[in-house]
Amino acid sequence: QLQLQESGPGLVKPSETLSLTCTVSGGSISSSSYYWGWIRQPPGKGLEWIGSIYYSGSTYYNPSLKSRVTISVDTSKNQFSLKLSSVTAADTAVYYCARHSGPVAAPSPIDYWGQGTLVTVSS
Amino acid sequence: SYELTQPPSVSVSPGQTARITCSGDALPKQYAYWYQQKPGQAPVLVIYKDSERPSGIPERFSGSSSGTTVTLTISGVQAEDEADYYCQSADSSGTYRVVFGGGTKLTVL
């Protein structure tokens, strides 16, 4: 059974960079056809896609966040990572890592999600 | 930007049928997907490609599409179906690859 687990600091100061890692177990991140993504959800609000990556390193980003987001992949560790720069209180959210069941451009649904991790932006 | 519009809330009594809509200009050209999210949990895919149901999802969940609107229908609603529901799709230009609707809170009275 595929499992995804987010890890990283739960508290980040304003203007700093938020960094999270997703570790994939029970399957290979290098499997063809699958994309791997980050989605966030501010407390009490809806879902927002941040971006997604293929194991080759090809990325897709939400245009509204693109200038601050970098998503990378480490196939040797079966992990992918998120960096969000210049954070503000508006970036406080539960951050989920997830797997797309096909090409992001298709579009394709998300069939596996991590449990989510709350990141709070505060001084 | 591209938006998918859902009603904020829908209420039904147990055993009745709940219908949750999602509207977007590109929906005639792009598939839609539906997720169920219960408090404190990650979303779960309940419908893909407008009307297909993943294995393990009860038959009372169904989806349909008509023009710029897709609809999630839950027949014979049960108390356990109370949750937030989100649609997902994309725009037709390829700019917005993954877009979520604002979500609909389904309340079982």
Side-chain angles (χ1 to χ4, degrees):
Chain A
Q1 176 76 353
L2 190 75
Q3 292 186 321
L4 295 85
Q5 179 67 58
E6 305 89 351
S7 59
L11 181 64
V12 181
K13 291 182 168 56
S15 80
E16 295 188 344
T17 296
L18 178 160
S19 296
L20 294 174
T21 295
C22 182
T23 300
V24 179
S25 59
S28 173
I29 203 169
S30 300
S31 297
S32 61
S33 299
Y34 300 126
Y35 277 69
W36 307 89
W38 291 95
I39 296 97
R40 70 180 183 179
Q41 185 171 35
K45 297 188 178 181
L47 302 168
E48 180 180 34
W49 174 63
I50 301 170
S52 302
I53 191 166
Y54 193 52
Y55 76 92
S56 63
S58 174
T59 54
Y60 293 94
Y61 295 131
N62 184 330
S64 66
L65 297 170
K66 186 175 182 177
S67 63
R68 299 195 291 131
V69 174
T70 301
I71 296 176
S72 58
V73 63
D74 186 337
T75 55
S76 67
K77 294 182 179 179
N78 227 31
Q79 295 176 335
F80 62 105
S81 298
L82 168 69
K83 292 188 184 299
L84 180 66
S85 64
S86 304
V87 297
T88 69
D91 295 308
T92 294
V94 173
Y95 285 76
Y96 293 99
C97 61
R99 188 186 84 169
H100 298 269
S101 63
V104 172
S108 59
I110 297 167
D111 57 356
Y112 285 93
W113 299 71
Q115 65 184 22
T117 187
L118 175 63
V119 178
T120 301
V121 178
S122 175
S123 56
Chain B
S1 64
Y2 179 64
E3 293 184 355
L4 296 172
T5 302
Q6 299 180 234
S9 63
V10 169
S11 299
V12 296
S13 299
Q16 292 190 329
T17 297
R19 294 181 179 85
I20 300 172
T21 59
C22 172
S23 298
D25 290 341
L27 288 176
K29 302 178 182 178
Q30 298 284 15
Y31 282 125
Y33 308 94
W34 289 96
Y35 301 89
Q36 175 194 69
Q37 186 181 34
K38 296 182 178 180
Q41 298 182 18
V44 172
L45 181 68
V46 294
I47 293 290
Y48 67 99
K49 289 187 178 179
D50 293 347
S51 60
E52 300 294 321
R53 194 173 53 249
S55 61
I57 300 302
E59 291 184 6
R60 63 180 181 273
F61 288 87
S62 63
S64 61
S65 176
S66 179
T68 59
T69 299
V70 293
T71 302
L72 172 69
T73 300
I74 310 172
S75 304
V77 166
Q78 301 181 6
E80 66 196 51
D81 299 329
E82 184 164 290
D84 294 323
Y85 291 84
Y86 294 91
C87 59
Q88 177 218 326
S89 188
D91 73 343
S92 55
S93 71
T95 302
Y96 294 90
R97 301 287 186 171
V98 180
V99 179
F100 291 98
T104 298
K105 169 67 175 177
L106 174 65
T107 299
V108 182
L109 300 171

